[in-house]
Amino acid sequence: MLEIEVKNLDTHTVLRPRGDIDAYTVAQFRERIGELAMEPRLLIDLGSVPFMDSAGLGALIGGIRRIRDSDGEVVVACGEGALARLLHTTGFDRIVPVAETPEEALTSLLDTDSPEAL
């Protein structure tokens, strides 16, 4: 089961999925990230995603592409586990900033030293 929280804050929006993003849940994830395509600043917090397959990675990349096509900025936070290794191994971190924590990602997104509460 995948739960997806979206939090709209003054300076940015946070997309926080919880659960596996795989062939069974990717449509839900793709739809939700697509709804955020016009957001000027999006922080995607994958810290509660223990597993993502190639379909999930494709949906993530597609969503980020749509946001960037609308001149939006995106950063990803994902911790240190298997998902972080996947993002680094696939070269994802060369096209999108990937941080270990949401706080680090937010600092990168806002380019400031004082992150807003997540």
Side-chain angles (χ1 to χ4, degrees):
M1 184 169 125
L2 180 66
E3 296 177 18
I4 302 174
E5 174 188 0
V6 174
K7 197 175 197 181
N8 293 304
L9 302 170
D10 291 338
T11 57
H12 65 287
T13 299
V14 178
L15 173 69
R16 188 173 286 131
R18 290 184 179 90
D20 293 343
I21 302 176
D22 56 20
Y24 300 105
T25 60
V26 71
Q28 178 187 359
F29 180 67
R30 183 180 296 116
E31 180 180 332
R32 197 66 170 127
I33 198 170
E35 292 169 359
L36 302 174
M38 299 304 291
E39 292 297 323
R41 291 187 186 105
L42 180 64
L43 188 159
I44 302 173
D45 181 359
L46 299 175
S48 298
V49 176
F51 175 79
M52 179 183 287
D53 68 7
S54 59
L57 186 59
L60 179 63
I61 291 169
I64 289 169
R65 184 176 297 131
R66 283 188 296 260
I67 293 162
R68 285 187 166 172
D69 285 348
S70 300
D71 294 324
E73 297 178 52
V74 183
V75 294
V76 173
C78 71
E80 297 181 347
L83 185 53
R85 287 191 300 278
L86 171 69
L87 297 181
H88 295 299
T89 301
T90 60
F92 178 87
D93 60 341
R94 290 191 296 259
I95 60 169
V96 175
V98 176
E100 192 172 308
T101 68
E103 293 80 12
E104 290 171 6
L106 183 57
T107 298
S108 171
L109 184 64
L110 300 179
D111 196 28
T112 182
D113 292 330
S114 56
E116 180 179 328
L118 299 172

